[in-house]
Amino acid sequence: MRFSVDAHAIGCHLTGNEVYIRNLLHEFARLDRTSDFIAYVSKPGAHLQVPKSVQTSYVSGNPFRRLGLDLPMRLRYDKPDLLHVQYTGPLACSVPLVVSVHDVSYLEHPQYFTRFRSRQLRFTVKRTVEAAARILTPSEFSRRAILRNYKLDERKVVVVPNAVSSSFRPVERESAAAVVEEKFGISGPFVLTVGDLQPRKNHLGLLHAFEETLRQHPHLPHRLVFVGKETWYSKELHRAVMRSNVAGRVHFTGFVEDSDLLQFYGACDLFVFPSFYEGFGLPILEAMACGRAVACSSATAMPEVANAAGILFDPYSVPEMARAIGDVLLDEEMRVRLERLGSNRAASFTWERAAQRTLDVYYEVAGVGKPVPAMKLRASSST
């Protein structure tokens, strides 16, 4: 079999989308050595992040050229048994299509997007999901949302949970803190959040909750660290920080590579994920895999991911969020218990399992039944 994947996200700092496709490709190469895999990449040097056994072909980084010209031409030349894309497929697709739709926030909360981006996704994703043989999505929440917003045969929509990379693991807190201080100039204990600076991530709510936490507990020495790519929304958040009473304790790092992100997770006292809307919430698992306590939003898919291993709060309630932060920071016994529960929870999500489920879909769409994996899956609990 020959399977092709639109991997243009690799090297583009597209966070979740990039992590998703990069990890799948590495597991495909390990699990299925009888099939050929082709990754269509766009960024210079992106092929270095793809397994050597996976063929790479370059397509334009311009989405109009990539979707309108380059991908259709490559498909006609390569003749794969299917193409796997995220959200949007090429205008002309000569092979069966599998699409990953991680969430439909552009439909249910368009206010979190620029007007152009929201309209573009409404049009292109609708066209893609209607043409697709299968739609992959990471949570039951997202599956229900997709079926609620599109008229589809429910059998087409398959839940394949995301996972956490093995590169995220427990590290000694003091050594991680030393790396963070030396490289980023951030010293002392801190509360961490990770995600692009955009409205739906609710960074503004977290800022106010952190401010309230310090007002109630002025003896706490903690700082607040935002790790994530700057966006069109960044200026509003930076202005809010400058107007706050905690401006001297708030730090922005911009996008960081996984090696540095590991150190931030390792050094933090608490990871907070206050998002209004997520189709999954991968940073929750990453923090748990690093052995850190997690407090996160009780909205959308996040309770599915955190389960009973994290403290849940209403993302629209600053007092509730502040209470969750204060409780964990002030109660060492609770923090240690959450760290233990989180480590166990994260271990139940593996990219090996996600890749095998995805390969099962590939073979089903290609019409040849379920593949025999190249190596047996390690025993792990079902998500």
Side-chain angles (χ1 to χ4, degrees), residues 73-89:
M73 288 180 60
R74 292 305 317 176
L75 293 174
R76 287 195 295 270
Y77 178 80
D78 294 328
K79 295 181 171 58
D81 291 288
L82 59 78
L83 171 68
H84 182 184
V85 303
Q86 296 187 74
Y87 288 103
T88 303

Side-chain angles (χ1 to χ4, degrees), residues 271-294:
F271 177 75
V272 183
F273 199 63
S275 183
F276 292 125
Y277 190 105
E278 294 291 328
F280 190 75
L282 188 56
I284 293 171
L285 284 187
E286 292 175 345
M288 288 180 172
C290 292
R292 293 298 169 253
V294 169

